[in-house]
Amino acid sequence: MNALEKNIAAARGEALAASLLASAALQSVFMFVPPQDREKFISGLNAFVDHALNRAGPADANANDDEPNTLMRETARFQAMQHLDAMTQMFKGPPAGS
């Protein structure tokens, strides 16, 4: 493994750790949200993430000139939505008939 690969692996590991800790923190917060309000809370989090990432768009409105940052934002959006979708499913319980 060369130095660049080591740096990339370390950065990805740090990002994964941050993601896991954030997910655990959100799950802890949900213990204080009444069950009937959890979907609304998650919906608000989804809107916040989407809005924050949209605001952080390219400076000149041309995403092709800002490809690395666009990829970073869209990867963050995908990962965040995956976590929030998984939490939504967790709170809804197993599918009917399972």
Side-chain angles (χ1 to χ4, degrees):
M1 182 181 297
N2 63 38
L4 177 61
E5 291 170 329
K6 287 179 183 180
N7 286 340
I8 291 171
R12 291 184 73 190
E14 290 168 357
L16 181 57
S19 178
L20 289 170
L21 290 172
S23 182
L26 281 174
Q27 289 181 39
S28 297
V29 167
F30 279 112
M31 291 189 312
F32 299 103
V33 176
Q36 66 272 15
D37 295 334
R38 288 179 180 161
E39 284 189 55
K40 182 178 177 184
F41 188 75
I42 288 178
S43 178
L45 288 173
N46 272 313
F48 169 78
V49 168
D50 198 45
H51 182 68
L53 291 171
N54 288 341
R55 273 194 332 243
D60 63 1
N62 186 353
N64 292 328
D65 293 341
D66 195 30
E67 191 174 354
N69 288 325
T70 299
L71 178 60
M72 179 190 64
R73 281 191 309 277
E74 293 312 310
T75 300
R77 185 184 319 273
F78 178 75
Q79 292 290 324
M81 296 307 170
Q82 272 194 324
H83 280 288
L84 293 172
D85 288 346
M87 284 185 232
T88 300
Q89 287 304 116
M90 181 179 68
F91 293 128
K92 286 183 177 178
S98 293

